[in-house]
Amino acid sequence: MKLLAIYPSLDIRFVTVVLLAMGLSTPGQAEITSLDSANIDDVLNNAAVSIVNFYADWCRFSQMLHPIFEESSNIVREEFPETKQVVFARVDCDQHSDIAQRYRITKYPTLKMFRNGMMMKREYRGQRSVAAIADFIRQQQVNPVKELQSMEEMNTLDRSKRNIIAYFESKDSESYNTYAKVANILRDDCTFLSAFGATSQAERFSGDNIIYKPVGESIAEMVYLGSLTNFDLTYAWAQDKCVPLVREITFENGEELTEEGIPFLILFHVKEDTQSLEKFQHEVARQLISEKGSINFLHADCEKFRHPLLHIQKTPADCPVIAIDSFRHMYVYPDYKDLNIPGKLRQFVLDLHSGKLHREFHHGPDPTDSTPGQEETGGEAASSPPESSFQKLAPSETRYTILNRGRDEL
């Protein structure tokens, strides 16, 4: 190449890196599996770990990532030659928009990780370099389950974290394999430990078992009562313990929470006001447990989110404040004092799902279902429109914009 002719002393390794980044050179034969509707489930379900590049050919950043992703695959394949241990794959989102929609892909390129076919909530957010991606995959191969060599180690357990401890007769068992799969998926949310054989014998008086130790010294442990070999049951139980029903949103995790693709129900409260948080947690558990999975229950520090509060015409002095962020608009719960009214918070969320909040946002309170003077079934004549379940606000910006502006202000 002309570059080499002009600079004959230029380090060949440097030139290779430049060409690699430009997409003009790809050392080795990369093993990147192209996914489509016909093979995606089979490929992902049969791989312990998969990292998938969701891209668009017209996207400049997607073009830049291709050679880096391919070289990362080459390096990882040398270290982990078992083809089902780690899979590098890609999806052309223009050609397979159904797959992009299925995994809620909103920007390119996006790197998502899967374990045995299950998509992890946290996508890859590290550097887009060969070394960084390869190192990320190495970290995913580390066993998240710490083996206890002595039960005395339980005395030094960090009770500021959520801990799950399993007691098995043998490490070579279906029960432990199931437990390890669950631990791999929830490794970022809980600390997983296990003990085997003679070490765990005192805790296995009724057989193999799994327990959960919540945060705090005074809170009693909880025992898993389901089948130890049933992955779905074990995972559901562990997820319920490891992932709080009401999570804190921060500027560090806000983008990750947004990419889960479901609206936010947020309590803004002063950090020291734990009473309001406990009340909110109680009412969410009492009224909205059936809505888990359709909306994220979150709480936020009023001071840190001062700017987003101004966006909904509130200040920290107004806290506690409850609002829904649908990613299109924000709606404020009328009065925090009404939180413990049976069904009030639940109706607020149902009005979001039915479209009532959005409709009233643009057109004002809904008219009554029946005309004035006409009796409704089982009730008196409606004489006035029903009270709106929200206060009308300016349209919300995207969550990214709100978070970035809030961060700039800090």
Side-chain angles (χ1 to χ4, degrees):
M1 290 184 66
K2 191 175 292 186
L3 182 64
L4 291 174
I6 296 174
Y7 301 104
S9 63
L10 196 61
D11 191 328
I12 295 298
R13 289 172 298 175
F14 174 76
V15 175
T16 301
V17 171
V18 172
L19 295 177
L20 185 63
M22 294 172 63
L24 301 177
S25 173
T26 306
Q29 181 63 42
E31 296 183 25
I32 310 294
T33 303
S34 294
L35 300 178
D36 54 36
S37 299
N39 71 354
I40 186 168
D41 291 327
D42 183 61
V43 171
L44 298 183
N45 290 343
N46 287 288
V49 172
S50 303
I51 184 166
V52 181
N53 176 16
F54 293 87
Y55 70 94
D57 276 333
W58 51 262
C59 169
R60 180 168 63 91
F61 297 105
S62 291
Q63 295 166 10
M64 292 170 62
L65 181 61
H66 282 319
I68 295 171
F69 194 66
E70 290 173 356
E71 181 61 11
S72 300
S73 171
N74 290 337
I75 292 175
V76 170
R77 178 63 60 232
E78 291 179 4
E79 298 182 27
F80 305 100
E82 171 56 48
T83 56
K84 291 187 178 181
Q85 189 173 4
V86 180
V87 167
F88 276 68
R90 60 189 169 202
V91 175
D92 183 335
C93 293
D94 283 338
Q95 295 293 322
H96 306 289
S97 57
D98 56 326
I99 298 178
Q101 184 176 5
R102 173 180 173 182
Y103 293 112
R104 299 180 179 129
I105 305 302
T106 58
K107 63 184 187 299
Y108 309 114
T110 293
L111 295 179
K112 286 191 174 290
M113 194 181 74
F114 296 77
R115 287 187 177 278
N116 301 111
M118 182 178 292
M119 184 179 74
M120 302 296 95
K121 288 184 177 181
R122 294 174 177 85
E123 67 183 51
Y124 175 75
R125 297 179 181 281
Q127 286 186 328
R128 303 294 173 90
S129 70
V130 172
I133 294 174
D135 189 55
F136 172 75
I137 296 299
R138 291 188 194 101
Q139 293 173 17
Q140 301 308 309
Q141 299 303 310
V142 176
N143 187 352
V145 182
K146 177 186 176 182
E147 183 175 345
L148 299 173
Q149 303 301 323
S150 167
M151 291 306 297
E152 292 180 1
E153 293 181 48
M154 293 293 291
N155 297 329
T156 59
L157 201 64
D158 186 352
R159 295 305 299 271
S160 67
K161 298 180 179 179
R162 297 175 175 83
N163 294 278
I164 293 185
I165 305 100
Y167 302 105
F168 298 115
E169 180 179 359
S170 171
K171 193 172 185 177
D172 185 21
S173 65
E174 187 178 352
S175 296
Y176 175 73
N177 289 337
T178 300
Y179 179 70
K181 283 184 179 180
V182 171
N184 268 306
I185 294 171
L186 297 172
R187 60 167 63 206
D188 295 325
D189 302 298
C190 261
T191 298
F192 289 86
L193 306 99
S194 62
F196 305 96
T199 303
S200 65
Q201 188 171 3
E203 301 294 332
R204 291 187 291 104
F205 53 87
S206 59
D208 291 355
N209 64 92
I210 302 173
I211 65 168
Y212 167 66
K213 286 186 177 291
V215 173
E217 296 285 349
S218 60
I219 304 178
E221 64 186 33
M222 304 174 194
V223 180
Y224 171 58
L225 300 176
S227 168
L228 297 175
T229 58
N230 186 308
F231 170 81
D232 291 335
L233 291 178
T234 308
Y235 173 72
W237 179 85
Q239 184 188 43
D240 182 62
K241 302 298 180 285
C242 294
V243 182
L245 184 60
V246 179
R247 294 177 284 176
E248 182 177 12
I249 182 171
T250 66
F251 292 117
E252 289 70 35
N253 70 0
E255 190 174 353
E256 291 180 6
L257 290 170
T258 300
E259 287 172 353
E260 292 181 16
I262 55 178
F264 297 164
L265 176 67
I266 312 174
L267 167 71
F268 295 95
H269 67 104
V270 176
K271 185 176 181 180
E272 293 74 22
D273 181 14
T274 57
Q275 184 175 356
S276 292
L277 175 58
E278 290 173 1
K279 181 178 179 181
F280 180 70
Q281 290 170 328
H282 175 75
E283 291 304 323
V284 166
R286 186 167 72 100
Q287 300 187 41
L288 294 170
I289 194 68
S290 63
E291 297 302 314
K292 184 178 180 181
S294 68
I295 191 165
N296 268 327
F297 310 118
L298 307 169
H299 69 99
D301 185 329
C302 271
E303 289 296 335
K304 290 183 178 180
F305 281 77
R306 178 183 291 268
H307 189 91
L309 278 172
L310 290 176
H311 181 72
I312 58 173
Q313 302 168 20
K314 300 290 183 181
T315 71
D318 297 310
C319 289
V321 172
I322 297 173
I324 285 177
D325 186 349
S326 71
F327 308 144
R328 298 181 66 186
H329 304 296
M330 291 188 74
Y331 313 99
V332 175
Y333 187 71
D335 192 341
Y336 175 82
K337 295 176 183 177
D338 293 339
L339 184 60
N340 58 353
I341 295 178
K344 185 85 171 182
L345 186 64
R346 175 176 172 78
Q347 189 59 52
F348 183 56
V349 172
L350 293 180
D351 286 347
L352 169 73
H353 294 327
S354 70
K356 181 179 180 182
L357 294 187
H358 182 78
R359 188 168 59 249
E360 292 188 337
F361 181 93
H362 291 284
H363 306 294
D366 279 353
T368 54
D369 293 332
S370 56
T371 57
Q374 183 181 19
E375 283 195 2
E376 296 179 318
T377 303
E380 298 179 351
S383 57
S384 61
E387 179 183 355
S388 174
S389 58
F390 74 100
Q391 299 172 2
K392 187 174 181 180
L393 300 169
S396 168
E397 298 170 81
T398 66
R399 171 57 51 184
Y400 302 140
T401 303
I402 290 175
L403 288 171
N404 289 338
R405 284 188 177 181
R407 179 181 290 145
D408 291 341
E409 187 186 24
L410 289 177

